[in-house]
Amino acid sequence: MDKEIRRSDFAVSGDNPVTQAIKTGNVLTLLEKQGYKSGFVTFVSGDDFMTRRGITFPASLSDIEEAYGDDTAKPEPFDPVSDRVYINGKANNMEDTEVLEEAETVLMYEMPEGSDSAQRDSQLRFYLDKGGNLVLAAYCMNYSDIPLK
């Protein structure tokens, strides 16, 4: 499978708020239709959710790297001081972000520049615990513009 992230990789399946709101299940399309210039949608264990490449809960680091590539993203330490999903989620009392207290690392896959001119900094972010297990998946539109509040 092609390891490059494309707009189509921002589509999810399952019975969840994204697929209930928009037929294609595409998070970027949903956020755009709602008028957002930046934002994110998160999924945690217990959500009826699957990525376009088959990742759901439970998933391990190796599952994610097999689906998305291990040469395009390396696990980085999770930093609650600078992570925009965590900071914005906590500031807005988003329950899902509570599981990030368990996060040790984050894998970030970014759409290449120019692949979607409207969404220049869109990312799939997979947060993993000490054991390398997925605790939260975040679909981010224009990550750098997500408010730190």
Side-chain angles (χ1 to χ4, degrees), residues 56-132:
T56 190
F57 295 94
S60 66
L61 171 62
S62 62
D63 295 332
I64 297 165
E65 288 179 334
E66 184 176 322
Y68 289 93
D70 60 1
D71 58 339
T72 54
K74 298 291 181 211
E76 297 178 7
F78 168 65
D79 182 5
V81 174
S82 64
D83 190 276
R84 291 178 177 275
V85 171
Y86 179 76
I87 294 167
N88 186 279
K90 290 298 264 186
N92 290 289
N93 297 314
M94 293 179 63
E95 287 183 32
D96 282 5
T97 55
E98 291 176 16
V99 302
L100 291 179
E101 303 293 334
E102 304 169 27
E104 283 284 315
T105 57
V106 60
L107 271 174
M108 182 269 297
Y109 295 92
E110 191 170 21
M111 275 198 315
E113 276 202 36
S115 63
D116 187 331
S117 60
Q119 309 313 335
R120 58 182 163 45
D121 183 24
S122 295
Q123 304 175 1
L124 301 181
R125 299 175 69 86
F126 296 99
Y127 296 84
L128 306 157
D129 65 13
K130 285 182 183 180

Side-chain angles (χ1 to χ4, degrees), residues 23-74:
K23 185 178 180 179
T24 64
N26 191 291
V27 172
L28 295 179
T29 303
L30 175 64
L31 292 171
E32 290 164 348
K33 286 186 182 251
Q34 291 177 336
Y36 290 100
K37 300 290 183 208
S38 65
F40 60 93
V41 172
T42 58
F43 296 95
V44 295
S45 181
D47 290 340
D48 186 358
F49 142 88
M50 182 179 290
T51 73
R52 182 174 174 269
R53 299 189 188 193
I55 299 298
T56 190
F57 295 94
S60 66
L61 171 62
S62 62
D63 295 332
I64 297 165
E65 288 179 334
E66 184 176 322
Y68 289 93
D70 60 1
D71 58 339
T72 54
K74 298 291 181 211

